[in-house]
Amino acid sequence: MLDVGVSAHCKKNPLILRVADESRIESITEICYKNDWQFILGIEPDQEEDLSDLERKLNPSIPQKATKTGRNEPCTCGSGKKFKKCCGANV
């Protein structure tokens, strides 16, 4: 495996990438250098490419924010009553 990297801030968790041939190395290293990411890149022709760490880093998941209805806010069912007197009374 070829060990390449630049940044010191993520030495504990470098991206671990595997390519099948040398054709993609330049584009992958350019992306990592541009974003200042530490990475380990290996060329293994007998194995399947694994760029999942890079894909997760480029497209991070966005946490969903749950909206919580307050007790004195109008009920979400549209009845016009306060939540505590409508659907919140069942909770």
Side-chain angles (χ1 to χ4, degrees), residues 36-63:
D36 198 27
W37 293 332
Q38 180 81 15
F39 62 99
I40 299 170
L41 179 60
I43 303 169
E44 298 179 19
D46 58 332
Q47 299 220 357
E48 188 177 326
E49 263 191 3
D50 181 14
L51 302 176
S52 57
D53 284 353
L54 181 62
E55 291 170 8
R56 274 194 296 277
K57 197 78 164 170
L58 289 172
N59 305 312
S61 62
I62 300 170

Side-chain angles (χ1 to χ4, degrees), residues 16 29 72 81 85 89:
I16 299 174
T29 55
N72 290 317
K81 295 180 182 180
K85 295 284 187 174

Side-chain angles (χ1 to χ4, degrees), residues 3-87:
D3 185 6
V4 184
V6 291
S7 70
H9 64 82
C10 57
K11 282 193 176 196
K12 291 182 181 178
N13 297 316
L15 302 176
I16 299 174
L17 310 168
R18 181 176 53 229
V19 293
D21 56 40
E22 296 181 19
S23 63
R24 306 236 348 215
I25 289 178
E26 189 174 321
S27 62
I28 292 170
T29 55
E30 184 178 325
I31 291 169
C32 292
Y33 282 135
K34 185 173 129 183
N35 292 298
D36 198 27
W37 293 332
Q38 180 81 15
F39 62 99
I40 299 170
L41 179 60
I43 303 169
E44 298 179 19
D46 58 332
Q47 299 220 357
E48 188 177 326
E49 263 191 3
D50 181 14
L51 302 176
S52 57
D53 284 353
L54 181 62
E55 291 170 8
R56 274 194 296 277
K57 197 78 164 170
L58 289 172
N59 305 312
S61 62
I62 300 170
Q64 299 292 326
K65 293 184 180 180
T67 57
K68 187 174 179 182
T69 306
R71 287 179 34 87
N72 290 317
E73 292 180 20
C75 191
T76 56
C77 72
S79 67
K81 295 180 182 180
K82 288 184 179 182
F83 181 73
K84 68 182 177 184
K85 295 284 187 174
C86 189
C87 296

